[in-house]
Amino acid sequence: MNGGKDESVELLVVLALFGWAAVVAAAVCGCRTLWEFLGRGIQAVWRGLGPWQTGRGDPRLTGVGGGEPAHLAYWWRQSWADALSAGRAGLRTVWSAFTGPWLNGTVKNLFRGRRPAGRPGSMPLTRFLLAVLIAPGTAAGALVGAVLATLLLGWGLVLFALLLAVVWLGWAAAVPVLRGLERGWALVRGIRARCPHPGCYAPVPLALHRCPKCQAHHAELRPGRYGVLGHVCRCGHRLPATRLAGRGKLTALCPRCEQFLPRAGGTMRVVHMPLVGGTSSGKTMLMAAMVEGLHAWARQGELRVEYATVDDQRTQTGLTQELNRTGWAHATTGGPPRALMLTVTRGRRRRLLYLYDPMGESVSDAERVRAQQYLAHTDGVVLVADVLADPKVRGLLSPADSDRANRARPSSQGPWETYQRLTGELAALTGRRSRMSVATVVTKRDVLDQLGSLPVPGAHIGEWLTGIGLDRLVRALGHDFGAARYWAVSAHAATGTGPLESEQRRAAEPVLWLLAASGLRTGPLTGSGGSAAGRLVRPRRRPDETREGRYSKA
């Protein structure tokens, strides 16, 4: 009986001790450790998401790679790295606080009969009570507090990760949306940027953009892993990544040849317009007359014409000065031509016009035509026809008219021969010749007006060409191309000193007609028949001007 009572007493004592320890543990956990550990964990997470002080370094940040001189966007990868490191720091802090200040400090002192701060108890009973009644409950309360704090902090981190995932998905979804909007906008407006520089002529879906601060070249300046609306250059300068944000204001270069591109190339439709003709057919003077004609229409308020770059203005100014000084232009030399670029605006519609003036030898055979890669982007062709070079036309001339024609320096290649060498290769390069427009411009009209052996070019140049023996050319142009119209122009009367503004405007009509095919509303400026009616009123010649000096060999 006494043994059973003793065991019951011992059991009651143990249960009482455990109950008391549970009460102490609950008090310690609910009043102290849970909130302390949770607070320290949250503070550690907050600090781990930093640094919050501007200018402080962060060893977690990846350096700028060699491919693109820009920092990866924070949301691309670094946000997850920061969240992971911050979560680890928070959980580590909770258990560090448990094992350090509490387990190895407070609890250890209590089991030794010391107070939590380490001071010994004043009496043996005090030391006994601290070791037996307070220490176990405190240890259990600290452990429970650490576990609960870990669970609560873990749930908070899971919610934070879900929120971060939603933000990341929103950022990731914005990338294709913005790219698609830009691409769709370019397709709707017919924007197909091309490099205008000789030997390149490459498509430019995305230009190289130069940082205005460190001059680094950015090949991926668009919404992507380096940023949605802006990229941060390696020098720290922020660059806009979309047209809406101002990317078009940055200096752009061709990604293939790294030469400068016009700023308008990425904001408006580009119309490629080569002038094709034999050597000495008058291409260079005709192009100068066309540019002057566009400006003449602009002076009347019908258009707004601007040079796309300073180099284009400098080129045209040099050609104008040469024409004013000598009355004729030097032959085009060198390899493939650089496009002369103009922005032409009528109403609310704008076009970036690329005018190509290749040397006449470029159409002397099929292989050379094939090397003119800019023809692959052609939207419309200006066929420069020097009819004085055609054998059939020369056979109609009297001896006096033959002398006049010789002084006009006829081309070494007639219009029909030029067309034959162009048309096949043009179809191979573009694949869409049947949908293309061709403007045929008969040059040296002031000389043609003086020839009594030929009828005067009147209101219907196509019929006039048929009448002088170039009926094959007219039939072929009408059959092979989507649309064909004809003009007769005196580039000499439209350029140099004392030019006729009416002839300048007429010289620009073929360009305006081809621009109208691209959607620019310039059709009303091209006349009804697409040709010059009546005889040309000639300007007075300077005393030192001779007939032999009127036409170039371009």
Side-chain angles (χ1 to χ4, degrees), residues 5 46 72 93 170 180 238 340 347 435 440 457 484:
K5 289 181 179 180
W46 183 254
L72 287 172
T93 299
R238 188 170 182 83
L340 178 69
R435 302 192 304 271
T440 303

Side-chain angles (χ1 to χ4, degrees), residues 462-549:
E463 296 178 5
W464 178 80
L465 288 171
T466 301
I468 63 173
L470 291 173
D471 50 319
R472 290 186 304 172
L473 176 63
V474 175
R475 287 197 304 270
L477 288 172
H479 177 268
D480 294 338
F481 286 86
R485 287 180 69 177
Y486 306 87
W487 283 263
V489 173
S490 170
H492 183 264
T495 58
T497 57
L500 293 175
E501 187 161 316
S502 59
E503 192 67 12
Q504 288 178 337
R505 293 195 300 271
R506 186 176 295 117
E509 287 185 10
V511 177
L512 296 175
W513 179 67
L514 292 175
L515 285 174
S518 73
L520 194 66
R521 295 173 180 172
T522 52
L525 307 181
T526 61
S528 57
S531 57
R535 283 185 173 270
L536 173 68
V537 180
R538 294 167 47 79
R540 290 185 177 181
R541 288 183 294 151
R542 296 180 294 176
D544 59 342
E545 183 179 349
T546 60
R547 292 181 184 270
E548 289 78 10

Side-chain angles (χ1 to χ4, degrees), residues 11 33 43 82 90 107 235 281 296 334 343-344 417 445 473 524 553:
L11 181 59
T33 57
Q43 286 182 354
D82 285 356
V107 175
C235 67
S281 60
T343 60
V344 182
E417 188 178 6
R445 184 187 165 203
L473 176 63
K553 294 182 180 180

